[in-house]
Amino acid sequence: MHWMEVTEESSVLTSFYNAEDESNLLLPKLPALPKNYSTSAKIFSEEKSDEIMKLLGDVRLNALVLGGSSGFIEIYAYGMFKIATVTGVAGSCRGLCLSSDLKSLSVITEMRDSSDSEAEIMYFQLDTSLLSSYLPEVTRMARKFTHISTLLQYIKLSLTCMCEAWEEILMQMDSRLTKFVQEKNTTTSVQDEFMQLLLWGKASLELQALLMNQLTVKGLKKLGQSIESSYSSIQKLVISHLQSGSEALLYHLSELKGMALWKQKYESLGLDASGIEEAIIAVGSFILKANELLQVIDSSMKNFKAFFRWLYVAMLRMSEDHVLPELNKMTQKDITFVADFLTEHFNEAPELYNRKGKYFNVERVGQYLKDEDDDLVSPPNTEGNQWFNFLKNSTHLKESPLLFPYYPEKSLHFVKRQMEGVIDQCLQKPADVIGKSVHQAVCMSLYKTSQSDGSTPQLFKLPFLWNDKTSNIHYVLFTILENSISKICILRRHTDTSRSVSNGILAVDFGNFLNNTINEISDSRCYSCLDAHFYDDETVTVILKESMEQEGKERILAQLPLPSVYTDEDQDKEFIWDSTKRLDEQSGEIPTRTVFLENQWRVLENMKAQYVSVNGIRKVSCVLNSNLRHVRVFEMDVEDDGEVEEEEEEEATQIAAGESDELNRSADNQDNVCDASAEELPDETEEHESSLDP
């Protein structure tokens, strides 16, 4: 993984950065999702809504680059939406780096002929100049993609909250009626049983047993309250969240369509107006289905309220309880309303039992929230609807592009998934087009890993990639074995693939900067590099060991300043690369710089250090033992707050020990990394050391 932020500046980009997003002026603010629902909805809750807005408010383009096996590379704008899919890079990706000017992508891959063969480490530089040339357009497009992606997530979570608001208790009426059909001995239908109770006020013994023993007066009251509460919550979520999110999505897709029609700017990036139009139509169909659900909820609430009020009074009479006068009043209109409800909802359906294991579908809202491909059990009745009749008889409006298609047989979940599929498909095309525009500029075989490396844990393994934002240069750190010494090599490539840099490849030889080790003094030493990472644009952090490592010889953490490597000397000694050979086969011809580190190193006592990971912004280095069980963390630039106390302690040490100035400097070197105080770092190292034992 690699995360980068664009640092390129231009007048067009500056005006875009400073301009206020019109959607904030034209669209109402999205309401926060209720926090009493799923934990997944809490990212849009009141506490987290500011974080979402901050994410959407970040107009300067940043991107997450992902690499995997078989040359799989993807670029995600703002880390959220894919804007490029790169294929054709040989081998499995081991490291990548996208330049901050978006001109090139450096990739390190590992190639194997078989699982037992040696791995060949390859370096590729890919030309991504299309992203750089159309940077303002890519930024605008990526911004729209991010809005759309966020709104899709918002709609998904709103629907999740609606599903949680719908309770299983609402299915109680269906299950009780089905059980009643299975157990009753009479041939009278359930609908007729309830109709007799409505018209004559008398119920059969079996219906009485169902109502008084299974449903009960208390259970009926609880069921009525649950339905009213659940339906009200779902209704609020549809109106305030689902509809507002869908309308915002429709707005951003319409703006994206306008961008796609500006072919001079956006056609090269793969924006397709016809595909976006299909996405707009899909969102329109989703809004229609949400409105249909609102109508079903409104109708069901009225029906259930009247039905339960009548049934509650009837059950009180059966139990010979007192009925309040206000409940006892029932007009002819109320009786007709309940009769229509019984006629429509209490029909036995044997084919439904084969599908759902029940004979009735009294509760009509839950079917819209089921995430399944089956058609609705009870689709809305459109007979007699004047608008449907008008469309049916109009030959011109039937196929009109101005009308959103309507799916009366499908659930809200089904239409939502269909909408997501169409939007993903239309927004996938730019990623494919931009990915195909990326082409290989440089391919270089670095080295083959030896069989002995197989025993070493492959954790933080070289090569390491770095992008210098100031000079627009890619750096590749890797090691080449020469005379049993692991030499660190630095490969430099300009992000503009048409330009070259002087001293494109250099090897670094570390001079005798360590005057004495723990046990002995030696005049000449050779150091092998175990691991290396860029600390910042001008410094490389390395782990070194003496090539003739013996007991008592400690490993070293050092800072390598690049200015000491790239000097004006020997500019004429350029390395001429033979493309038919690997770099390790030409190691003798690579120009070598010998550097002498002054006080920018530290002996890592009692630790067989193998790997290092650094963060120059936080000024921290983390060193890992070769057994992967112990870690030490170093602060690389400690403030000199205790400078006076440090000097006093050094003077006392000199008087007590009587050591020479030269040995004091050497001891001070061993206890310092990058100007850190001798008093602070040992204590600090001990404090930050931890074990990774399970």
Side-chain angles (χ1 to χ4, degrees):
M1 294 192 299
H2 172 71
W3 198 292
M4 57 76 63
E5 183 179 32
V6 172
T7 57
E8 197 77 5
E9 296 289 351
S10 69
S11 57
V12 178
L13 281 172
T14 304
S15 62
F16 173 62
Y17 294 154
N18 297 332
E20 187 173 2
D21 192 349
E22 289 183 353
S23 63
N24 294 332
L25 304 174
L26 301 174
L27 293 174
K29 185 179 178 181
L30 288 177
L33 289 173
K35 58 183 178 182
N36 54 328
Y37 290 113
S38 169
T39 52
S40 61
K42 290 182 180 176
I43 63 169
F44 286 100
S45 64
E46 294 175 5
E47 293 84 356
K48 300 286 185 179
S49 58
D50 289 342
E51 297 179 18
I52 298 295
M53 293 306 112
K54 283 178 184 176
L55 177 64
L56 295 178
D58 190 5
V59 290
R60 184 181 291 275
L61 181 64
N62 54 72
L64 175 67
V65 191
L66 303 178
S69 58
S70 305
F72 151 82
I73 298 173
E74 291 181 342
I75 303 175
Y76 288 82
Y78 301 106
M80 293 180 66
F81 209 91
K82 184 165 59 177
I83 58 170
T85 303
V86 182
T87 57
V89 179
S92 298
C93 182
R94 288 186 52 177
L96 38 71
C97 183
L98 180 63
S99 63
S100 56
D101 58 5
L102 295 180
K103 288 185 177 178
S104 74
L105 173 65
S106 284
V107 185
I108 298 291
T109 66
E110 179 182 291
M111 295 178 60
R112 289 182 185 270
D113 296 331
S114 65
S115 58
D116 299 331
S117 62
E118 292 182 337
E120 186 173 1
I121 305 300
M122 305 285 294
Y123 168 73
F124 295 90
Q125 186 176 7
L126 307 176
D127 187 336
T128 57
S129 54
L130 180 67
L131 289 174
S132 176
S133 304
Y134 289 89
L135 179 56
E137 290 77 21
V138 169
T139 304
R140 285 179 180 272
M141 186 178 72
R143 185 113 171 96
K144 281 296 169 195
F145 284 5
T146 307
H147 274 291
I148 291 168
S149 180
T150 305
L151 287 169
L152 285 173
Q153 183 72 359
Y154 181 83
I155 290 171
K156 179 182 177 181
L157 292 175
S158 299
L159 198 50
T160 302
C161 292
M162 289 164 56
C163 293
E164 291 183 19
W166 184 85
E167 303 173 18
E168 287 295 329
I169 192 175
L170 307 183
M171 298 292 294
Q172 197 177 86
M173 182 63 77
D174 294 342
S175 59
R176 293 284 164 82
L177 290 174
T178 299
K179 187 176 181 182
F180 177 62
V181 171
Q182 292 170 337
E183 293 179 354
K184 72 183 179 72
N185 297 320
T186 61
T187 57
T188 312
S189 68
V190 173
Q191 188 183 82
D192 291 342
E193 294 268 6
F194 276 93
M195 278 294 187
Q196 288 177 13
L197 178 61
L198 174 65
L199 296 176
W200 314 119
K202 293 183 179 180
S204 65
L205 295 176
E206 291 178 324
L207 183 58
Q208 271 190 355
L210 167 71
L211 296 177
M212 303 308 295
N213 299 334
Q214 295 187 30
L215 192 58
T216 72
V217 174
K218 187 177 179 181
L220 179 69
K221 198 172 181 179
K222 183 180 178 183
L223 181 60
Q225 291 171 347
S226 297
I227 286 181
E228 187 173 0
S229 170
S230 180
Y231 282 7
S232 298
S233 300
I234 295 173
Q235 193 176 42
K236 289 176 184 176
L237 285 166
V238 174
I239 294 172
S240 61
H241 297 83
L242 206 65
Q243 286 189 332
S244 58
S246 303
E247 288 163 4
L249 183 60
L250 198 61
Y251 169 84
H252 286 292
L253 282 170
S254 300
E255 279 215 330
L256 194 65
K257 181 185 174 184
M259 292 163 57
L261 292 172
W262 194 355
K263 296 188 176 181
Q264 180 187 358
K265 294 280 188 181
Y266 293 96
E267 189 175 35
S268 301
L269 297 176
L271 270 188
D272 179 24
S274 61
I276 299 172
E277 179 63 31
E278 291 178 6
I280 291 173
I281 291 173
V283 175
S285 297
F286 179 74
I287 294 175
L288 282 180
K289 183 57 70 172
N291 285 329
E292 179 190 310
L293 175 59
L294 281 179
Q295 293 173 4
V296 172
I297 291 174
D298 188 57
S299 173
S300 295
M301 286 179 73
K302 291 177 182 177
N303 290 339
F304 273 116
K305 195 170 184 179
F307 173 69
F308 284 139
R309 184 171 178 268
W310 161 74
L311 192 58
Y312 179 66
V313 172
M315 292 173 69
L316 286 177
R317 285 176 180 158
M318 288 178 195
S319 60
E320 298 181 352
D321 288 340
H322 174 67
V323 180
L324 296 174
E326 57 268 21
L327 292 176
N328 210 11
K329 294 176 182 178
M330 195 165 186
T331 64
Q332 186 62 40
K333 186 179 178 181
D334 293 335
I335 294 174
T336 306
F337 200 76
V338 174
D340 290 340
F341 177 75
L342 291 172
T343 304
E344 185 179 351
H345 291 76
F346 279 63
N347 279 322
E348 293 181 30
E351 70 280 357
L352 178 61
Y353 186 81
N354 297 330
R355 284 177 56 193
K356 302 291 183 180
K358 61 182 183 178
Y359 288 104
F360 301 91
N361 192 48
V362 179
E363 200 282 317
R364 301 287 173 93
V365 175
Q367 59 181 348
Y368 285 86
L369 305 178
K370 298 290 185 184
D371 191 6
E372 53 190 29
D373 295 331
D374 292 344
D375 291 346
L376 295 179
V377 174
S378 303
N381 185 11
T382 58
E383 289 182 14
N385 186 300
Q386 295 180 353
W387 174 250
F388 278 94
N389 292 336
F390 174 67
L391 288 182
K392 190 175 180 181
N393 298 325
S394 172
T395 55
H396 298 291
L397 287 177
K398 273 183 182 178
E399 305 297 330
S400 173
L402 300 175
L403 297 178
F404 296 134
Y406 174 57
Y407 305 97
E409 305 288 333
K410 297 300 181 182
S411 69
L412 184 65
H413 252 295
F414 179 87
V415 179
K416 190 246 336 174
R417 280 192 281 113
Q418 189 180 46
M419 174 187 71
E420 289 174 336
V422 174
I423 292 176
D424 286 345
Q425 188 175 1
C426 92
L427 299 187
Q428 176 64 33
K429 190 175 178 183
D432 295 336
V433 171
I434 294 173
K436 288 177 182 176
S437 73
V438 176
H439 59 273
Q440 180 180 303
V442 174
C443 174
M444 192 178 294
S445 176
L446 299 182
Y447 57 88
K448 278 195 173 184
T449 56
S450 62
Q451 293 291 344
S452 60
D453 288 347
S455 59
T456 306
Q458 303 290 310
L459 193 59
F460 308 106
K461 191 73 174 173
L462 292 175
F464 179 75
L465 285 164
W466 179 264
N467 175 56
D468 187 340
K469 303 178 183 64
T470 308
S471 55
N472 292 326
I473 290 177
H474 284 305
Y475 287 93
V476 185
L477 299 178
F478 59 98
T479 56
I480 288 180
L481 197 64
E482 184 179 357
N483 298 326
S484 300
I485 298 174
S486 185
K487 272 190 174 182
I488 182 171
C489 294
I490 305 176
L491 168 64
R492 296 201 302 175
R493 293 290 308 177
H494 202 284
T495 58
D496 186 346
T497 54
S498 62
R499 296 175 57 183
S500 60
V501 250
S502 60
N503 292 326
I505 300 178
L506 282 179
V508 178
D509 195 6
F510 293 95
N512 183 25
F513 59 90
L514 186 60
N515 292 329
N516 68 317
T517 60
I518 301 301
N519 293 335
E520 64 179 53
I521 299 176
S522 178
D523 294 328
S524 62
R525 290 182 181 86
C526 295
Y527 297 96
S528 285
C529 178
L530 298 177
D531 200 7
H533 278 226
F534 263 89
Y535 181 76
D536 54 34
D537 286 343
E538 295 186 346
T539 312
V540 177
T541 303
V542 294
I543 296 287
L544 304 174
K545 73 168 183 177
E546 291 188 37
S547 55
M548 302 298 292
E549 190 172 7
Q550 300 173 3
E551 190 68 27
K553 300 290 184 71
E554 306 293 344
R555 301 190 179 186
I556 298 165
L557 173 67
Q559 297 281 71
L560 170 64
L562 284 185
S564 66
V565 177
Y566 292 101
T567 61
D568 295 332
E569 303 173 4
D570 303 326
Q571 291 291 335
D572 54 332
K573 295 182 180 179
E574 288 292 328
F575 172 68
I576 301 174
W577 172 56
D578 184 355
S579 58
T580 61
K581 297 180 181 178
R582 296 193 310 271
L583 270 180
D584 59 347
E585 296 174 336
Q586 309 171 62
S587 58
E589 302 169 19
I590 297 177
T592 302
R593 293 279 188 272
T594 302
V595 295
F596 296 90
L597 303 179
E598 298 177 358
N599 63 340
Q600 295 179 309
W601 52 269
R602 178 193 179 111
V603 173
L604 300 173
E605 300 177 359
N606 303 319
M607 184 181 192
K608 197 174 180 181
Q610 184 74 29
Y611 305 106
V612 64
S613 186
V614 300
N615 189 314
I617 297 175
R618 293 186 173 91
K619 300 179 180 179
V620 167
S621 290
C622 177
V623 180
L624 181 63
N625 204 316
S626 58
N627 62 9
L628 309 185
R629 290 180 180 273
H630 294 89
V631 165
R632 288 185 187 176
V633 180
F634 296 90
E635 290 186 57
M636 305 300 281
D637 292 329
V638 178
E639 298 293 336
D640 295 330
D641 294 335
E643 190 172 351
V644 177
E645 290 82 0
E646 178 190 350
E647 290 176 357
E648 292 175 356
E649 185 171 336
E650 284 182 354
E651 289 176 5
T653 304
Q654 288 175 359
I655 294 171
E659 295 178 341
S660 66
D661 290 341
E662 182 179 356
L663 289 178
N664 274 327
R665 283 195 299 273
S666 175
D668 184 54
N669 281 343
Q670 292 183 16
D671 287 338
N672 282 273
V673 177
C674 304
D675 301 321
S677 67
E679 179 184 1
E680 290 169 321
L681 264 175
D683 295 338
E684 178 189 347
T685 305
E686 184 177 350
E687 179 182 348
H688 293 308
E689 184 172 355
S690 62
S691 172
L692 301 181
D693 286 334

